[in-house]
Amino acid sequence: GRALKSCHAAHCCNNVPVSLPLAGTQFQYLVVEKKGAKQNVGVIQLNRPKALNALCNGLMNEMNQALDSFEKDPHVGAIIITGSEKAFAAGADIKEMQNSTFQECYGGNFLAHWNRVSLVRKPVIAAVNGYALGGGCELAMMCDIIYAGEKAQFGQPEILLGTIPGAGGTQRLTRAVGKSLAMEMVLTGDRISAQEAKEAGLVSKIYPVEKLLEEAIRCGEKIAGNSKLVTAMAKEAVNAAFEMTLTEGNKMEKRLFHATFATDDQKEGMAAFVEKRKAKFTDH
């Protein structure tokens, strides 16, 4: 409960979305920068320490703005979303939503804009330290790869607040860890550790807390070193596995595979392999 209480105590946010370009933008709830030796990994760090990075409307608007900027930046090949060592995000901002009516939620399609993270075409890595609860767990699951620090905790405690997950918690968690564990987590509100999350298939790697971001950036650099064009195709193909039958998914994979042969990067990649040299991709 302590993280949950802090989630309750989260301060309300300014709901006015800011639409400035990323360069020189002063974010209120985020720290946004480029990392890596070639500055080709975009890092979005949630920065509401007093509220354990509770996801208020203002923060999510800024998140979408930062994602849009990195999406348009031709130098960025991968994006990382992270929080603090204590909390990735302890949930949605409860104070902000507690008095909402059904009519307001349904009429305004409440939380729909949170889904932007899952629609980014560039690969997104969640680097999770500390609490990833409720909306925080859902935000991590919208990313393509989850790396966890040793002390990370994942949970969907909405049931304890008299509601249910509303940003993919019942859907993505079930696909990631299976029905039994997802049902247990959603119905009890119990958390799982980083180790349990790895065993269940929710996270791919666990690192010491202080090494986590560095390792996530290293993964981002590996991804950014490949063809951005072909990487987008690969991401699209893997995501299709969750939406399609095996037959349809394989058909789509073949189409995308065939499409790579229309790119300069496939010619360069295979020529470099045959000539035993490093490929120089141009994203064409």
Side-chain angles (χ1 to χ4, degrees):
R2 198 170 299 160
L4 215 55
K5 280 176 194 146
S6 302
C7 186
H8 281 250
H11 302 294
C12 273
C13 295
N14 176 359
N15 287 340
V16 184
V18 188
S19 55
L20 300 168
L22 188 57
T25 302
Q26 291 300 306
F27 289 101
Q28 192 177 346
Y29 307 113
L30 306 174
V31 176
V32 180
E33 51 197 336
K34 291 187 202 178
K35 294 281 194 179
K38 295 181 179 172
Q39 297 282 288
N40 57 2
V41 179
V43 178
I44 300 172
Q45 181 173 15
L46 278 55
N47 187 33
R48 288 188 76 203
K50 287 180 185 166
L52 290 181
N53 292 332
L55 305 171
C56 61
N57 197 40
L59 186 150
M60 292 311 288
N61 283 334
E62 287 190 358
M63 170 81 69
N64 290 351
Q65 189 186 336
L67 288 168
D68 286 344
S69 296
F70 283 144
E71 186 85 297
K72 289 173 194 156
D73 189 329
H75 302 295
V76 171
I79 300 164
I80 292 167
I81 298 176
T82 193
S84 64
E85 289 194 359
K86 192 173 182 185
F88 176 72
D93 194 316
I94 307 303
K95 269 194 174 177
E96 196 174 68
M97 68 171 77
Q98 73 179 105
N99 295 319
S100 296
T101 64
F102 162 74
Q103 290 90 333
E104 285 165 354
C105 288
Y106 187 81
N109 204 4
F110 183 47
L111 295 190
H113 68 305
W114 281 34
N115 209 39
R116 176 73 183 94
V117 182
S118 66
L119 301 175
V120 175
R121 296 185 76 191
K122 292 179 180 178
V124 184
I125 303 164
V128 177
N129 268 323
Y131 303 114
L133 307 177
C137 189
E138 290 171 316
L139 176 62
M141 291 190 293
M142 286 179 204
C143 299
D144 302 306
I145 297 168
I146 305 179
Y147 277 9
E150 288 169 331
K151 294 178 182 173
Q153 292 185 39
F154 298 84
Q156 297 291 162
E158 287 86 349
I159 199 81
L160 307 176
L161 303 179
T163 187
I164 70 169
T170 64
Q171 303 302 302
R172 290 192 178 94
L173 187 63
T174 307
R175 283 165 169 77
V177 306
K179 179 181 172 179
S180 183
L181 181 55
M183 194 70 87
E184 183 184 23
M185 289 172 70
V186 169
L187 300 186
T188 64
D190 287 351
R191 304 172 199 166
I192 58 171
S193 67
Q195 201 55 51
E196 289 169 310
K198 185 172 187 302
E199 285 163 14
L202 185 61
V203 310
S204 55
K205 292 205 169 68
I206 299 176
Y207 291 105
V209 172
E210 65 284 357
K211 291 263 186 221
L212 176 69
L213 185 55
E214 179 187 319
E215 292 293 346
I217 291 167
R218 188 169 297 159
C219 176
E221 287 183 289
K222 274 186 200 171
I223 291 168
N226 297 320
S227 163
K228 294 179 186 66
L229 191 64
V230 178
T231 293
M233 291 182 184
K235 171 171 168 168
E236 187 181 349
V238 173
N239 279 335
F242 292 94
E243 307 287 348
M244 295 181 171
T245 63
L246 183 58
T247 303
E248 288 303 313
N250 276 330
K251 202 181 286 183
M252 180 178 171
E253 180 189 76
K254 284 288 178 296
R255 293 283 177 269
L256 287 166
F257 168 64
H258 295 156
T260 65
F261 285 80
T263 68
D264 297 342
D265 283 342
Q266 172 270 331
K267 299 291 176 282
E268 165 62 14
M270 291 194 181
F273 177 83
V274 172
E275 294 161 22
K276 296 184 170 56
R277 61 177 175 81
K278 191 170 167 35
K280 288 181 181 166
F281 294 117
T282 56
D283 307 321
H284 283 92

